[in-house]
Amino acid sequence: MTATVTSTSAQPAPAGITFPDGFVWGAATASYQIEGAAREDGRGPSIWDTFSRTPGKVYAGHTGDVACDHYHRYADDVALMADLGLAAYRFSVAWPRIQPDGTGPVNVRGLDFYDRLTDELLAKGINPVVTLYHWDLPQTLEDRGGWASRETAEAFAEYAQIVHRRLGDRVATWTTLNEPWCSAYLGYGSGIHAPGVQDPAKAFRAAHHLNLAHGLAARALRSAGAQNISITLNPCQVAPLDPASPADVDAARLIDGVANRIFFDPLLLGKYPSDVLDHIARITDLSFIRDGDEATINAPIDVLGINFYTPSYVRALPGAPGALDYPGSQGIAFRPPVGPVTDMNWQIEPASLTRLLTRIHRDYPGTPLMITENGAAYPDGPGENGEVQDLRRIEYIDAHLRACHDAMAEGVDLRGYFAWSLMDNFEWAEGYAKRFGIVHVDYTTQQRVLKDSAKWYREVIRRNGLE
Ligand code: FCB
């Protein structure tokens, strides 16, 4: 299919839809993006503390030092979630709070925080969905090679067990990693995320060590009794700009390998695809992939988290420099967004989410899916009456929920949906300039205000569907 642009507002009013009983309605956040309290209670520095302090790396020099001050305001934030009727809350644990040096001594005060948060959630009837790694690697581990080093994967499995030992009696769902694509390729390929390295060989080593970290942790968690184990990927829904052009089709296949199959295949099929190995071998030797690693990565999972925001279209363009976050993509050009975009300049195309989910269902059958992130950045803030009218976000989420429903009608086993994000927060390299929350945060007063999208989402949850 060529680039069909779906305008969310130009469609005739869609019919009401209902989701299956038990469909999980949630919202998501991540530790560094909301917690603040960066130097409190024994937390060690993470790569994002270092990166955000490096001039020119993050918009306007913003850092996560204070963020949404969630570390102190978690009880109010959980009350807000309860008011919205969330069935589940996806948050991440900051590794540097638990092991300030990445390995070795455990900082009990760090565990205490997540213990309090978990109890608060359960007291309000909200299911905690824990992500163990959402990008805040302890700086000490980065100093020893970070994800380009195998040691980090082994350290991660140990850290996972420490957190599970403390929370495993109350937390049902354990997600190992959030979006290893970003950690590997934005962290070590383009360097637009921490630790800011630009080295294609390291990017591929990092991708493998992240896969391995997942496998080692998933196995350790399973033997410790965890029953609902997961990982969250952010697949690139990539299509050839001209499906009739064999060169464009090849370009899309290469990007699909580097972005998607490098994670999906060892995880769910127990093997790296041979075309991906050939591709990596053109950039670096493969000795970092050891015998038995693929089997380790292939640890059984119970649910697969999918984050989705925007599609990609590529074409073959001889001489094009390629994209550093898709190492080895010289000669391939990404089409700039067409049609409506969000404040991130991300193209809005809900139908591509349906295509993505049906493709995963077809190529990797048998694993239940969960949308662990989906949402949109828009700058809307409180108007004169204090209300935040973010109609475009409502339209975005509404259209993507319909896309999910369409995929389910085609047989996709989709179990739930988490809006990104519960509240405005530190949007990585964009600092506080991009607002993804359904709850508005005033960073001066730390006041939270439900945007119209939050009120709308509350109704969606209440009726388990769309009007
Ligand atoms: C995802 C991240 C999340 C947030 C959204 C907008 O890639 O997992 O932390 O930044 O994008």
Side-chain angles (χ1 to χ4, degrees), residues 33 134-135 178-179 182 307 309 346 373 420 427-428 436:
Q33 295 182 275
H134 199 130
W135 308 354
N178 175 70
E179 301 190 352
C182 293
N307 293 353
Y309 292 92
W346 290 350
E373 284 182 29
W420 182 271
E427 177 45 38
W428 309 113
F436 274 92

Side-chain angles (χ1 to χ4, degrees), residues 365-379:
T367 308
L369 306 179
M370 188 83 103
I371 298 292
T372 38
E373 284 182 29
N374 174 245
Y378 289 111

Side-chain angles (χ1 to χ4, degrees), residues 323-408:
L324 290 175
D325 33 25
Y326 299 86
S329 63
Q330 292 84 349
I332 296 177
F334 280 77
R335 188 193 65 179
V338 170
V341 295
T342 67
D343 199 27
M344 297 290 280
N345 198 29
W346 290 350
Q347 180 174 335
I348 304 171
E349 192 179 77
S352 59
L353 173 56
T354 311
R355 287 196 278 276
L356 174 66
L357 292 173
T358 51
R359 182 267 173 115
I360 297 169
H361 175 69
R362 183 192 69 224
D363 290 356
Y364 308 98
T367 308
L369 306 179
M370 188 83 103
I371 298 292
T372 38
E373 284 182 29
N374 174 245
Y378 289 111
D380 312 295
E384 275 166 24
N385 55 3
E387 312 230 317
V388 184
Q389 297 180 332
D390 59 336
L391 182 62
R392 290 172 296 180
R393 181 172 291 102
I394 295 176
E395 287 183 346
Y396 180 99
I397 298 180
D398 180 281
H400 285 81
L401 283 172
R402 288 173 197 280
C404 290
H405 200 264
D406 289 348
M408 293 164 82

Side-chain angles (χ1 to χ4, degrees), residues 30-38 43 62-73 77 97 423-427 431-432 441-448:
S31 48
Y32 191 73
Q33 295 182 275
I34 64 163
E35 286 178 0
R43 177 185 178 277
H62 292 171
T63 74
D65 282 2
V66 178
C68 308
D69 194 32
H70 171 76
Y71 191 79
H72 300 114
R73 295 166 194 265
D77 290 337
R97 286 198 195 281
M423 56 186 151
D424 294 336
N425 58 48
F426 177 82
E427 177 45 38
Y432 298 98
V441 176
D442 177 328
Y443 294 112
T444 316
T445 61
Q446 289 296 348
Q447 201 195 351
R448 277 76 158 138

Side-chain angles (χ1 to χ4, degrees), residues 5-235:
V5 176
T6 312
S7 158
T8 50
S9 45
Q11 305 293 310
I17 54 174
T18 305
F19 285 82
D21 286 344
F23 191 80
V24 176
W25 295 102
T29 64
S31 48
Y32 191 73
Q33 295 182 275
I34 64 163
E35 286 178 0
R39 275 173 287 272
E40 237 164 284
D41 290 342
R43 177 185 178 277
S46 80
I47 54 174
W48 272 95
D49 295 275
T50 309
F51 189 72
S52 61
R53 282 188 168 61
T54 311
K57 297 299 186 190
V58 172
Y59 172 82
H62 292 171
T63 74
D65 282 2
V66 178
C68 308
D69 194 32
H70 171 76
Y71 191 79
H72 300 114
R73 295 166 194 265
Y74 72 92
D76 290 347
D77 290 337
V78 172
L80 244 162
M81 297 174 213
D83 174 43
L84 293 179
L86 299 187
Y89 171 53
R90 172 177 181 254
F91 63 94
S92 78
V93 174
W95 189 346
R97 286 198 195 281
I98 309 304
Q99 286 176 295
D101 284 327
T103 54
V106 175
N107 175 40
V108 175
R109 286 176 297 168
L111 285 170
D112 290 345
F113 169 67
Y114 297 104
D115 199 279
R116 292 195 292 278
L117 173 61
T118 298
D119 283 348
E120 192 70 28
L121 288 164
L122 292 173
K124 294 272 189 319
I126 301 167
N127 246 317
V129 173
V130 167
T131 301
L132 286 162
Y133 184 74
H134 199 130
W135 308 354
D136 37 7
L137 187 73
Q139 181 62 44
T140 321
L141 285 179
E142 180 55 36
D143 298 341
R144 299 210 294 260
W147 287 111
S149 156
R150 192 174 176 96
E151 195 202 330
T152 301
E154 286 152 9
F156 179 72
E158 186 196 323
Y159 151 71
Q161 292 171 76
I162 294 167
V163 181
H164 181 267
R165 224 171 282 139
R166 182 70 183 268
L167 302 180
D169 57 336
R170 284 154 293 154
V171 167
T173 307
W174 292 87
T175 305
T176 54
L177 307 174
N178 175 70
E179 301 190 352
W181 180 85
C182 293
S183 302
Y185 298 125
L186 301 183
Y188 298 88
S190 65
I192 69 159
H193 279 185
V197 175
Q198 290 191 347
D199 180 334
K202 282 190 178 167
F204 284 125
R205 294 174 73 94
H208 177 63
H209 294 140
L210 284 150
N211 279 336
L212 185 63
H214 160 78
L216 292 169
R219 285 176 190 282
L221 290 168
R222 183 81 64 194
S223 35
Q227 284 175 2
N228 206 17
I229 296 173
S230 159
I231 179 173
T232 280
L233 301 178
N234 60 320

